[in-house]
Amino acid sequence: LETQWFELDKGKVSFRNIAIVEPSPLTITNQGSQVSSGGWVRYHKRHFNSWPEGGYHFPDTDAEGATVTLKGNTHIAYPLEGVEANTNTVLKVNAYVHEIPHNLYMCLEDDDSFEVETSRNGCFRFSGSHSPGPKVYYRGFPQLSTEESYDYYFKLAEFKTGSIKYIAFLQEMRHGDHKDGAVSLIGNIE
């Protein structure tokens, strides 16, 4: 959706390039079984921008739903059902960064509020040219640069246990001429 504003003081507004987008599902492997997330929903945390400056992009998933592509500012969450993290749960995820964003996070949520004050969860940071927020898990795992890929393995008991209701992805690219750039891919989530 591209919006163009004219003569705001006179109440005139025009819209163009309106599109209805069907949210694409993400498929993860949960204890050996494929789980489809259904479509994505808009996502934000109070310590991130509530609506990304410079636009909002929709994610793309590949044909199998195994990889999500993020471009520019993209803040989305995929609902999950029946996903539990226990003391032995290992989360595997592949991340690829084509161009370094300001920040690239993956968040695991156990409630619907997405608010940092009521949620006990934080986010894993994969890449970024800016400093991570205070509730971000950043404990010595590799941070990606341009054209880099990495298979991450997280023992979730070190971060959280219990129900995971959402897996969310936040890519921030807010300033300058490249705010629509910063393409990243995250996939093969098990």
Side-chain angles (χ1 to χ4, degrees):
L1 172 65
E2 185 177 327
T3 307
Q4 192 171 30
W5 302 90
F6 297 100
E7 300 183 56
L8 292 177
D9 60 331
K10 296 179 182 173
K12 296 180 181 178
V13 178
S14 73
F15 296 91
R16 63 181 177 173
N17 299 328
I18 297 173
I20 297 174
V21 178
E22 187 69 33
S24 51
L26 178 67
T27 302
I28 67 169
T29 302
N30 181 26
Q31 299 180 10
S33 299
Q34 299 284 5
V35 176
S36 180
S37 68
W40 50 267
V41 296
R42 181 173 168 254
Y43 176 79
H44 72 278
K45 279 185 170 284
R46 194 169 298 172
H47 69 287
F48 297 106
N49 289 339
S50 61
W51 189 258
E53 173 188 328
Y56 180 83
H57 295 276
F58 299 111
D60 290 319
T61 56
D62 63 4
E64 296 82 31
T67 301
V68 62
T69 301
L70 309 172
K71 178 184 177 192
N73 276 319
T74 306
H75 294 202
I76 46 101
Y78 291 91
L80 302 173
E81 289 187 28
V83 176
E84 295 283 327
N86 61 43
T87 57
N88 298 318
T89 303
V90 175
L91 174 67
K92 176 189 171 218
V93 60
N94 175 269
Y96 166 79
V97 171
H98 177 70
E99 177 187 348
I100 296 176
H102 290 155
N103 285 299
L104 174 61
Y105 302 102
M106 178 184 70
C107 305
L108 303 175
E109 294 289 344
D110 60 1
D111 64 30
D112 296 330
S113 71
F114 301 149
E115 296 293 343
V116 85
E117 285 81 7
T118 59
S119 174
R120 61 188 166 95
N121 302 317
C123 301
F124 300 94
R125 182 176 185 256
F126 298 129
S127 182
S129 59
H130 290 184
S131 297
K135 294 286 279 187
V136 174
Y137 298 128
Y138 184 74
R139 298 184 184 176
F141 48 88
Q143 297 294 289
L144 301 176
S145 293
T146 301
E147 299 293 335
E148 286 188 341
S149 177
Y150 191 81
D151 288 322
Y152 292 91
Y153 295 85
F154 302 107
K155 186 171 182 181
L156 287 186
E158 295 177 13
F159 305 100
K160 77 172 286 0
T161 57
S163 177
I164 300 174
K165 292 180 75 173
Y166 292 88
I167 186 166
F169 304 102
L170 292 88
Q171 179 169 278
E172 298 178 323
M173 193 66 177
R174 298 188 306 256
H175 306 292
D177 295 333
H178 300 290
K179 61 187 169 189
D180 291 329
V183 176
S184 301
L185 287 82
I186 298 176
N188 302 317
I189 301 168
E190 297 181 31

